[in-house]
Amino acid sequence: MKKYIIFTMTALVLVSCGEDWLDINQDPNNPQTGTLSLILPAAQTAKAFGMTRDINKNTMVFTRQLYNLSESQYTQDPTTYSNDYDGLFGNVLKEMEEIIEQGTEQEAWNFVGIAKIMKAHTYMVMVDLWGDLPYTEALNGEETLSPEFTPAATIYDALLLLIDEGVADLAKESTLNVEGDLIYNGDLDQWETAANTLKLRMLLNLRLVDPARATSGINALIAEGNLISDNSDDYEFRFGGSLTPNNRHPLYQIEYVDGNKTYHMSNYFMYNLIKKEDPRLPFYIYRQGTDSELDFETTPCSNRSDCVYGLLSGTDLGEVAEGYIGRDHGDPSGIPGDNSIRATFGVYPIGGEYDDNSRNDAGQGDGGQGAGVIPYLSNTMRAFMLAEAKLTLPGMTGGQSAEAYLEEGIRSSMEKVEDLGLSLDEDAEPMDEAAVEAYVAARLAEYAAATDALKLNVIIKEKYYAQFGNGMEAFTDLRRTGYPADLPASLAPAAPFPLRLPYSITELNTNSNAPSPPPVLDSPVFWDVN
């Protein structure tokens, strides 16, 4: 009897639906309006986690913001970034492409514009890290299992056009309101400023290989005046402080674990912050212990004579550096049992603890509980980028001087770091205004006294400290400019300094069009002619 009823009901459904019976995803009461609002936040979240893991952590090591032994010896292979590479293609870019296709069908042009801008930024970062990539035939695995690799310079050209398309889409009348946007909450004006700042970022990266194009494009952006110009407009992802679901900053998740730390802070990084009396220091670095708790096995560089910094309190910094226990770049002394006393991340950017000199072990639930940020493009970065453009491109017109942009970038960073720290950790204290003014004055004096060749070093080094938390951008700046000029060499390199990352083992094994052999890791990407 049950079988008869089921068969009869099925037959009635088939008759009533006719040829459209397979359109099960089209709800007549809500025709696909919810799909885009679900895919967008999923894509944004996947991108944030994908860009905050190995590709970010390792580039922070390469640029001497962090220390981990193998990465500071430049040991990497096709398995190192497989999860990040495969995830960015298979999840992040694929979801963005789905938004573009569905949004175009539904004429939800606001979603389409946002997705194109996000796609352009994601691809740009990947090109900067890997070089040539699948592009024109990518994101269509149902039809093309082995997409051809498109030259990196060609992808850059396509992305600049894609950004313009995205901005144009934002201006079109749309059938839907943007919902689910975790970045700008559907504010299309902010998305447009992010898109223009992304163009600035890409054009600046072209300044050595196509200075005329970079100059004219950046001049046009300055004249238009629609770049990120306030910290509230920053293109960034803000993590949460929840354990279930676990939406905390990935670095917080691995560093704020009792008795188990993955990284040391770089001695070079901390030395310079302390030496310059940087007001961001207690926001960036949290001291867990004291130098008196060290023994022979845990003292940095205790069994080596070639360390540049070693134990910072033993350098020219003296007692002011007490407790800032890190490692020199490439120090092969092994992994000491100092998890509870080594210096670690502070409240900015990962949502850890503000250093109020309490010297407690940093554990989960402490400080900002992991509700940090990954800054993609910011007001601070915009100011430093324009400073570099004004200094290095002779045909730049309009805007401020390089020196003025330098000051703007420093002040913007101070404000950003302070605001996030105060909002996350009740123990955080406002920066001393006199200390901020003294820092700014010292950096401007340093810039004024520098030779023309080294003025860029001042700009990039200040940008380097302001970009703490985004190693990918610092890695790109280092390759493009060669600055900061005083980065210490690895004490025990196992390979040459990398100028690109290795392709995923999955790509190399499954894509018959993947480069064979793949490029050596000390070969530069197309814009790196420094």
Side-chain angles (χ1 to χ4, degrees):
M1 183 66 178
K2 288 183 179 179
K3 292 182 180 179
Y4 176 78
I5 293 173
I6 293 173
F7 176 81
T8 303
M9 292 177 65
T10 303
L12 289 172
V13 170
L14 292 176
V15 171
S16 64
C17 292
E19 296 179 353
D20 297 328
W21 71 280
L22 285 175
D23 293 335
I24 58 174
N25 290 325
Q26 296 183 10
D27 181 353
N29 296 319
N30 192 19
Q32 294 186 317
T33 56
T35 304
L36 295 175
S37 64
L38 294 176
I39 300 176
L40 178 60
Q44 291 174 335
T45 302
K47 175 180 177 178
F49 278 89
M51 286 194 171
T52 321
R53 289 176 173 154
D54 290 334
I55 58 173
N56 188 41
K57 292 179 290 188
N58 288 4
T59 50
M60 289 180 74
V61 175
F62 296 159
T63 54
R64 288 72 157 178
Q65 295 180 343
L66 295 181
Y67 165 91
N68 202 33
L69 179 56
S70 61
E71 287 80 9
S72 65
Q73 294 180 308
Y74 314 135
T75 301
Q76 48 183 350
D77 60 46
T79 65
T80 305
Y81 306 101
S82 289
N83 289 337
D84 292 352
Y85 182 99
D86 298 345
L88 289 172
F89 266 118
N91 295 328
V92 179
L93 288 170
K94 185 64 176 177
E95 288 178 338
M96 293 173 188
E97 196 66 19
E98 183 67 21
I99 295 172
I100 293 170
E101 292 176 1
Q102 285 195 30
T104 299
E105 291 175 1
Q106 300 177 41
E107 297 186 348
W109 299 113
N110 41 15
F111 278 97
V112 174
I114 291 171
K116 286 181 178 179
I117 295 164
M118 290 174 56
K119 177 182 176 181
H121 177 259
T122 304
Y123 251 117
M124 177 202 72
V125 172
M126 294 182 71
V127 168
D128 291 343
L129 294 177
W130 281 286
D132 300 349
L133 291 170
Y135 184 76
T136 56
E137 294 182 348
L139 310 180
N140 192 18
E142 297 83 357
E143 298 180 9
T144 307
L145 297 179
S146 294
E148 293 186 358
F149 275 58
T150 301
T154 303
I155 298 177
Y156 249 58
D157 290 340
L159 297 181
L160 286 166
L161 293 175
L162 185 65
I163 296 169
D164 288 339
E165 290 178 15
V167 171
D169 288 332
L170 294 178
K172 295 179 183 177
E173 185 174 350
S174 183
T175 58
L176 299 175
N177 293 322
V178 175
E179 296 180 354
D181 178 12
L182 301 178
I183 306 293
Y184 288 129
N185 196 30
D187 190 323
L188 301 186
D189 290 337
Q190 289 183 306
W191 275 109
E192 184 174 353
T193 62
N196 291 332
T197 308
L198 177 57
K199 285 185 70 175
L200 168 64
R201 160 69 172 77
M202 295 186 68
L203 289 166
L204 184 65
N205 234 27
L206 296 175
R207 71 171 177 83
L208 295 177
V209 293
D210 195 346
R213 183 183 189 185
T215 302
S216 62
I218 296 174
N219 276 335
L221 290 170
I222 293 175
E224 184 181 352
N226 195 20
L227 299 164
I228 292 175
S229 57
D230 189 87
N231 290 352
S232 63
D233 292 328
D234 287 355
Y235 177 37
E236 63 183 21
F237 185 89
R238 180 76 176 265
F239 295 93
S242 170
L243 182 60
T244 308
N246 195 346
N247 60 4
R248 300 167 302 166
H249 196 293
L251 279 168
Y252 181 92
Q253 293 184 37
I254 63 172
E255 292 303 304
Y256 274 65
V257 179
D258 292 334
N260 186 21
K261 300 286 185 288
T262 302
Y263 293 91
H264 285 85
M265 306 311 294
S266 164
N267 276 342
Y268 165 86
F269 187 76
M270 293 192 295
Y271 175 89
N272 280 276
L273 289 172
I274 300 168
K275 183 77 171 179
K276 298 189 297 182
E277 299 182 342
D278 194 319
R280 292 166 294 195
L281 177 62
F283 293 86
Y284 280 177
I285 309 295
Y286 180 78
R287 292 168 295 168
Q288 295 187 105
T290 64
D291 291 359
S292 63
E293 297 175 83
L294 293 166
D295 55 30
F296 177 79
E297 291 184 351
T298 58
T299 299
C301 288
S302 61
N303 61 346
R304 297 187 68 87
S305 61
D306 56 353
C307 289
V308 180
Y309 302 102
L311 186 62
L312 292 185
S313 61
T315 67
D316 61 327
L317 298 177
E319 288 303 309
V320 69
E322 197 277 332
Y324 290 98
I325 302 167
R327 293 285 162 189
D328 276 29
H329 190 62
D331 177 9
S333 300
I335 302 174
D338 63 352
N339 283 287
S340 63
I341 57 176
R342 69 176 68 166
T344 188
F345 288 90
V347 64
Y348 186 95
I350 74 165
E353 286 197 77
Y354 173 85
D355 190 346
D356 62 353
N357 201 32
S358 60
R359 310 291 180 101
N360 295 317
D361 295 354
Q364 293 189 14
D366 291 340
Q369 302 181 58
V373 298
I374 171 65
Y376 299 134
L377 294 165
S378 66
N379 181 41
T380 300
M381 294 179 191
R382 183 269 315 163
F384 284 119
M385 286 190 285
L386 290 177
E388 179 181 346
K390 293 289 285 189
L391 178 67
T392 61
L393 293 170
M396 290 296 301
T397 59
Q400 305 180 82
S401 66
E403 183 179 22
Y405 282 126
L406 169 62
E407 179 177 355
E408 186 179 353
I410 296 171
R411 292 189 182 279
S412 171
S413 173
M414 297 286 182
E415 179 183 341
K416 180 75 175 184
V417 170
E418 180 183 56
D419 286 348
L420 182 68
L422 293 177
S423 71
L424 291 181
D425 192 340
E426 61 182 11
D427 294 326
E429 299 178 359
M431 294 181 185
D432 182 84
E433 292 184 10
V436 173
E437 294 303 319
Y439 185 93
V440 172
R443 301 292 79 74
L444 294 180
E446 183 181 357
Y447 180 84
T451 64
D452 289 344
L454 289 180
K455 287 184 186 299
L456 181 57
N457 180 55
V458 177
I459 292 171
I460 297 301
K461 193 162 186 177
E462 286 309 303
K463 186 182 181 187
Y464 166 81
Y465 285 100
Q467 288 181 154
F468 182 52
N470 189 327
M472 300 169 291
E473 288 298 313
F475 184 51
T476 291
D477 289 340
L478 174 61
R479 289 175 293 159
R480 185 184 65 253
T481 68
Y483 297 128
D486 62 344
L487 294 181
S490 175
L491 293 178
F497 181 79
L499 298 177
R500 64 172 70 217
L501 304 186
Y503 291 123
S504 162
I505 189 67
T506 307
E507 187 78 71
L508 295 176
N509 286 344
T510 63
N511 185 349
S512 60
N513 286 315
S516 182
V520 294
L521 300 185
D522 58 343
S523 62
V525 296
F526 81 100
W527 47 257
D528 180 9
V529 296
N530 176 57

